[in-house]
Amino acid sequence: RAINSLDTPPSQSRCFDVYGNHQIAGWDEQNMVRCDLSEFKDKLVNVYWDWLTPKDLAFGHNNWFGFACHRLVAPKFQLAFKNIIDRGLSDKVKTFGGCLNKRQMRSGTAWSMHSWGIAIDLNVQWNKFRQKNFEMDMDLVKCFEDVGFVWGGRWADSPDAMHFQYATIR
């Protein structure tokens, strides 16, 4: 039975059950959608890809503004970005590190939450993986946590302050 919406994030161990098997043919076409941020374009137009330069804008596409993510999480991402705009924090989002990236986690054999398009990385340059003295604005973090996202900056053993995911740990 197909799931049409989520009230709360599932555990990481349930991601295949909830989000589907990202390894099968046709999965992207059935599950990946545009997370349209057009209504926030004037406030987010300067966000750039974290591995490029500020002139390489991340959310601008030929005929839309936003990024691709899993269909079940697109409304959650939109709410998080609405929080950012409503709270006057758009200047705290400098770079976007992407969403969908089918790969295993850096520190293990489990699949990364990016494999389902349910996680994003923000402001990577200032918030490297395992960096203890990160520079993620806590009000920005709250914009995501208020919608149900888990923030990697709270992970004591391997902090990942750039990372926001719509799945709980285990």
Side-chain angles (χ1 to χ4, degrees):
R1 186 181 88 163
I3 296 171
N4 294 321
S5 67
L6 293 173
D7 293 326
T8 58
S11 66
Q12 284 183 356
S13 63
R14 291 205 55 236
C15 282
F16 276 104
D17 297 333
V18 174
Y19 297 117
N21 185 344
H22 57 76
Q23 300 171 81
I24 62 171
W27 182 89
D28 286 24
E29 293 78 9
Q30 292 175 10
N31 292 289
M32 295 301 291
V33 298
R34 291 177 178 179
C35 180
D36 187 2
L37 301 177
S38 296
E39 70 179 288
F40 314 125
K41 184 176 182 177
D42 61 327
K43 300 286 186 182
L44 297 172
V45 73
N46 294 320
V47 176
Y48 61 97
W49 290 107
D50 68 16
W51 62 90
L52 297 173
T53 67
K55 68 179 176 151
D56 299 301
L57 303 179
F59 297 143
H61 302 279
N62 188 28
N63 61 351
W64 66 288
F65 187 83
F67 60 95
C69 67
H70 195 284
R71 64 182 173 77
L72 293 174
V73 183
K76 305 299 183 181
F77 279 125
Q78 288 167 325
L79 285 172
F81 279 95
K82 182 179 185 325
N83 286 344
I84 291 167
I85 301 308
D86 289 351
R87 297 173 191 179
L89 300 170
S90 60
D91 62 324
K92 303 296 183 187
V93 182
K94 298 174 186 122
T95 66
F96 179 70
C99 184
L100 180 67
N101 184 2
K102 296 178 185 182
R103 63 172 176 76
Q104 291 180 330
M105 290 183 191
R106 290 185 204 113
S107 57
T109 57
W111 286 100
S112 166
M113 298 299 103
H114 292 283
S115 297
W116 288 277
I118 63 170
I120 63 171
D121 294 334
L122 298 177
N123 302 342
V124 175
Q125 179 180 344
W126 303 273
N127 301 284
K128 303 275 189 209
F129 181 60
R130 290 196 173 130
Q131 178 179 334
K132 302 264 189 220
N133 298 319
F134 45 80
E135 297 180 32
M136 186 60 73
D137 184 276
M138 293 309 294
D139 290 329
L140 184 63
V141 169
K142 189 153 176 44
C143 291
F144 284 88
E145 289 182 333
D146 285 353
V147 179
F149 283 89
V150 172
W151 177 49
R154 298 202 189 282
W155 301 336
D157 294 338
S158 294
D160 196 359
M162 72 180 95
H163 184 83
F164 298 88
Q165 68 182 41
Y166 204 74
T168 62
I169 305 300
R170 290 169 199 51

